Amino acid sequence: MNKDLYIVLMAGGVGVRFWPYSRNSKPKQFLDVLGSGRTLLQSTYDRFLPLCPKENILVVTHEEHTKLVHEQLPDLMQSQILAEPMRKNTAPCIAYASYKIRKMNPNAIVVVTPSDQLVLKEIDFQSVITKAASQAAKQDILITLGIKPTRPETGYGYIQFIEGKGFIKKVKTFTEKPALAIAKKFLESGDFVWNAGIFIWSVQAIVKALQTHQAELADVFEDIEKDLGTDQEKMAIEQAYGQCKNISIDYAVMEKAENVHVCLGDFAWSDLGSWGSIHEISEKDDHNNAIQAQALTYDTRNSIIRGSKGKLIVVQGLNGYLVGDFGNVVIVCEKDKEEQFRKFVNDVKGLPNSTEFI
């Protein structure tokens, strides 16, 4: 166990693509999406416990969800839950955590990870993280985790690397969700991996990168660093976030820096970014239906059926659909058209009583 290793769990998203299962009051990271008895946040926390002291695990979330984090991770102290007053994407989130960690331990090695991903073969995952952290401790480099692709997936970002010895490679290019034809070429080339959105670096390296590539953002957090870990933190963060741009760490730093590397992982992984991805990893019946409900199906295949206790769902004649009964919302739609879910939510916002459904 590495006492200088710190884990930052990013838990600030709203999970629009999982509406109406995921709601503003309880986004998907706080749900037991896989039916395992643990929420995605709890599973992510469990995954890192063997690697560092639990005191070194921080959760960054929107301030309205700090109570949920307390309930699901009762071992965390208040100081380990970083409350964002507004959502400004991943760069301010990572800056907040980085400056707070640097104040606690200037020798820290930091792993930043989403809190809503699936990882199978967790021992293999932990081994990769440990080796990457060891390299980050020795070099001024920014490491991102790349997953060996198993199919030409169009829903993931890709990282192209330069061949070399060792499992850490220099990054050549980043590509956001490509068209299918391009994704197939990526797979054939052998030098592209899926971008897992997991980062490993020394706290000094990320702060230096922020100072170099996002000087305004770095200045904001350097101005309030003295207040972090004190009674003034909440007020200081509110002021800081009011000055931050809404920008991802990918655009802010990773696509600009020259010292970006990727460590290669070969284990079952999913970002669980859509209903389609849930279908892919779920147990299925003989007709490829993933069912978590009391249901009767007829001439139905490749679908997801979810329902609440005490309700029977009868489905006939559907192929590739989501049929779900989630509290006060019933949804029937094509499961793979993930772009539609954002439209659904936007349209619901136009209803007079919209807050009841979002």
Side-chain angles (χ1 to χ4, degrees):
M1 185 174 287
N2 186 349
K3 292 183 179 180
D4 286 331
L5 184 64
Y6 288 73
I7 312 299
V8 177
L9 308 184
M10 297 185 291
V14 292
V16 169
R17 287 179 292 176
F18 275 96
W19 182 85
Y21 183 35
S22 175
R23 307 286 185 103
N24 284 346
S25 60
K26 186 177 275 191
K28 73 164 182 170
Q29 59 268 28
F30 301 108
L31 300 171
D32 181 9
V33 172
L34 305 174
S36 66
R38 299 287 279 173
T39 68
L40 294 178
L41 173 64
Q42 289 171 325
S43 296
T44 307
Y45 175 80
D46 295 345
R47 191 176 304 138
F48 286 96
L49 274 179
L51 301 184
C52 70
K54 63 184 178 183
E55 294 79 14
N56 290 12
I57 300 179
L58 308 181
V59 179
V60 187
T61 191
H62 191 273
E63 59 186 12
E64 67 179 317
H65 295 136
T66 55
K67 185 178 178 182
L68 272 174
V69 176
H70 272 300
E71 290 172 356
Q72 296 194 3
L73 301 177
D75 286 348
L76 294 188
M77 298 179 291
Q78 179 66 45
S79 60
Q80 291 171 260
I81 302 174
L82 281 56
E84 295 184 291
M86 57 192 80
R87 294 181 177 89
K88 288 293 185 80
N89 216 316
T90 53
C93 159
I94 289 172
Y96 180 10
S98 298
Y99 278 91
K100 183 156 183 169
I101 290 170
R102 186 176 74 160
K103 190 174 181 184
M104 293 189 289
N105 182 352
N107 298 316
I109 305 301
V110 183
V111 178
V112 180
T113 178
S115 59
D116 55 1
Q117 297 185 343
L118 169 71
V119 172
L120 301 179
K121 298 183 180 178
E122 293 197 343
I123 292 176
D124 292 346
F125 172 83
Q126 291 159 356
S127 175
V128 169
I129 293 295
T130 299
K131 288 193 287 185
S134 175
Q135 291 300 311
K138 299 173 185 175
Q139 305 177 60
D140 176 22
I141 55 176
L142 307 174
I143 302 173
T144 186
L145 180 59
I147 309 296
K148 184 178 179 181
T150 57
R151 61 185 183 278
E153 173 64 54
T154 59
Y156 295 158
Y158 285 74
I159 302 168
Q160 184 183 24
F161 59 86
I162 299 170
E163 278 293 356
K165 293 181 179 179
F167 86 117
I168 292 184
K169 317 285 188 182
K170 188 85 163 56
V171 168
K172 186 175 182 180
T173 61
F174 289 93
T175 303
E176 282 300 309
K177 304 176 180 179
L180 181 59
I182 295 174
K184 287 180 178 178
K185 289 182 179 178
F186 286 174
L187 204 65
E188 292 168 2
S189 73
D191 59 351
F192 282 84
V193 288
W194 289 334
N195 187 349
I198 297 173
F199 309 102
I200 307 100
W201 43 47
S202 71
V203 73
Q204 300 294 352
I206 186 58
V207 167
K208 180 180 175 183
L210 288 167
Q211 291 168 338
T212 302
H213 303 289
Q214 294 293 322
E216 290 183 9
L217 180 63
D219 288 345
V220 166
F221 283 93
E222 282 168 15
D223 286 345
I224 66 161
E225 189 171 12
K226 65 183 184 303
D227 297 317
L228 300 180
T230 74
D231 292 341
Q232 305 303 313
E233 181 171 332
K234 186 177 187 298
M235 184 180 299
I237 286 299
E238 287 176 357
Q239 294 174 349
Y241 269 66
Q243 301 173 62
C244 292
K245 291 188 295 185
N246 187 323
I247 186 170
S248 73
I249 195 67
D250 300 272
Y251 290 125
V253 172
M254 302 303 283
E255 294 182 11
K256 296 179 179 179
E258 297 293 328
N259 60 335
V260 178
H261 291 66
V262 60
C263 63
L264 308 185
D266 188 8
F267 41 77
W269 168 90
S270 172
D271 75 345
L272 299 179
S274 66
W275 282 109
S277 63
I278 291 293
H279 180 267
E280 183 183 336
I281 56 92
S282 297
E283 284 190 27
K284 292 174 275 290
D285 66 11
D286 293 342
H287 301 284
N288 205 37
N289 297 310
I291 302 174
Q292 285 190 24
Q294 187 173 4
L296 296 173
T297 59
Y298 305 87
D299 188 29
T300 293
R301 57 197 184 279
N302 307 317
S303 295
I304 299 174
I305 302 168
R306 291 208 172 194
S308 50
K309 290 181 180 179
K311 290 188 179 180
L312 172 66
I313 298 178
V314 181
V315 184
Q316 185 273 326
L318 295 184
N319 181 11
Y321 270 70
L322 164 67
V323 179
D325 166 50
F326 301 106
N328 59 356
V329 178
V330 175
I331 188 168
V332 181
C333 65
E334 293 173 278
K335 67 175 173 59
D336 291 327
K337 292 194 174 180
E338 60 182 82
E339 71 281 356
Q340 284 290 323
F341 286 85
R342 196 170 297 278
K343 183 181 188 306
F344 296 157
V345 172
N346 287 336
D347 289 346
V348 170
K349 288 178 179 177
L351 299 176
N353 52 343
S354 63
T355 54
E356 296 178 25
F357 307 114
I358 298 177

